[in-house]
């Protein structure tokens, strides 16, 4: 699909200049920094336990489906049995984890990552906030 709009300009009038291209040494320095370590720790301390819990919950569901036929076939109401309820619970859990992670990332991870990225793009200096980004 073609459009008539031109591509965005690189550093036009009144716009931020092109970001600083960090060197390999700068990337390594940031990777070894305490701030980046805290960002990684924050992400891992959230993601790993939830991943382990979800995999355990999924394996319980699979094992019950394979070895507890009578229990899984127990009718809860109408034609809805335990297996269907737990299977739908798998979908619900997936969406809840995705939503919960999105909130966690927006509140805890994104601000830290943005600060690191901003410093790297501006040659080690914090990027000044524009009027739109500040507390207008």
């Amino acid at each position: 699909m073609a459009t008539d709009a031109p591509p965005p300009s690189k550093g036009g009038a009144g716009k931020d200049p092109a970001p600083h291209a960090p060197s390999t040494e700068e990337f390594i320095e940031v990777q070894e920094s305490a701030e980046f370590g805290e960002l990684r720790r924050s992400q891992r301390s959230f993601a790993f336990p939830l991943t382990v819990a979800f995999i355990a919950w999924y394996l319980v569901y699979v094992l019950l489906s394979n070895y507890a036929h009578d229990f899984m076939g127990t009718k809860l109401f109408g034609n809805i049995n335990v297996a269907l309820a737990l299977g739908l619970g798998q979908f619900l859990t997936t969406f809840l984890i995705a939503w919960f992670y999105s909130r966690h990332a927006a509140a805890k991870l994104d601000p830290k990552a943005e600060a690191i990225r901003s410093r790297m793009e501006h040659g080690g200096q914090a990027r000044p906030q524009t009027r739109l980004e500040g507390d207008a």
Side-chain angles (χ1 to χ4, degrees):
M1 172 199 271
T3 62
D4 294 331
S9 64
K10 296 184 180 181
K15 295 188 179 184
D16 286 341
H20 165 72
S23 66
T24 303
E25 291 79 22
E26 288 173 305
F27 275 109
I28 292 170
E29 182 181 327
V30 167
Q31 183 181 7
E32 293 172 348
S33 72
E35 186 180 22
F36 187 77
E38 175 57 33
L39 175 63
R40 264 196 333 228
R41 241 183 328 279
S42 183
Q43 193 273 335
R44 289 177 179 173
S45 67
F46 184 88
F48 288 171
L50 267 172
T51 301
V52 169
F54 183 78
I55 289 172
W57 155 231
Y58 178 73
L59 289 176
V60 165
Y61 174 70
V62 169
L63 291 172
L64 286 172
S65 295
N66 282 325
Y67 299 109
H69 297 284
D70 292 338
F71 171 70
M72 294 297 269
T74 303
K75 291 197 181 224
L76 299 175
F77 53 90
N79 287 329
I80 307 299
N81 61 16
V82 172
L84 181 60
L86 292 179
L88 292 174
Q90 290 287 318
F91 286 103
L92 178 63
T93 305
T94 301
F95 291 116
L96 286 175
I97 288 172
W99 172 74
F100 195 42
Y101 180 79
S102 174
R103 285 177 41 111
H104 171 74
K108 307 272 188 203
L109 304 178
D110 292 350
K112 293 176 186 177
E114 175 59 27
I116 292 169
R117 183 187 66 81
S118 179
R119 269 196 304 286
M120 289 189 76
E121 286 182 350
H122 293 86
Q125 301 171 0
R127 178 177 59 106
Q129 288 187 335
T130 63
R131 190 168 157 242
L132 297 174
E133 293 170 333
D135 297 324

